[in-house]
Amino acid sequence: SWELYMMDEYADLRECICPTDEELQRFRELVVNGVMATDIVDKELKQLRNNRWDKAFGDSFEESLHDARNRKATIVIEHLIQASDVA
């Protein structure tokens, strides 16, 4: 699916979604994490997801506001996808 997205025919779409290489990398991480969130059977993945939640919403540690927002948004999306997959 990523190969399809990266085809020349979708260059305009990619430019709209993620105009910079940094945003493209971030979008890819979101897609991969979203797909992985649908695996509700793997206890190790669930534990990693719970650890990321604790890191995002637990006691603060040194990171930029931008990184903190991204971390929170990502883990919330993962949990929403997981919840919708169960439902």
Side-chain angles (χ1 to χ4, degrees):
S1 62
W2 190 256
E3 289 177 14
L4 180 66
Y5 176 70
M6 294 304 291
M7 294 174 72
D8 290 341
E9 299 92 89
Y10 300 104
D12 291 339
L13 175 63
R14 280 193 312 276
E15 182 65 27
C16 290
I17 294 173
C18 37
T20 67
D21 288 342
E22 181 181 345
E23 289 173 341
L24 179 63
Q25 177 63 33
R26 180 76 183 123
F27 181 68
R28 181 176 170 83
E29 290 172 8
L30 285 171
V31 170
V32 169
N33 288 343
V35 170
M36 296 299 290
T38 63
D39 187 352
I40 60 171
V41 177
D42 190 324
K43 292 182 187 306
E44 188 175 326
L45 283 176
K46 182 181 184 316
Q47 184 60 49
L48 290 171
R49 196 168 22 259
N50 289 343
N51 290 345
R52 286 194 303 276
W53 180 276
D54 292 342
K55 185 175 182 179
F57 293 102
D59 293 333
S60 295
F61 62 97
E62 291 298 316
E63 71 178 337
S64 71
L65 181 59
H66 180 262
D67 290 345
R69 284 183 183 158
N70 280 343
R71 181 179 318 284
K72 288 176 181 178
T74 299
I75 196 62
V76 167
I77 289 169
E78 288 180 39
H79 276 80
L80 288 171
I81 290 170
Q82 184 182 26
S84 68
D85 196 47
V86 172

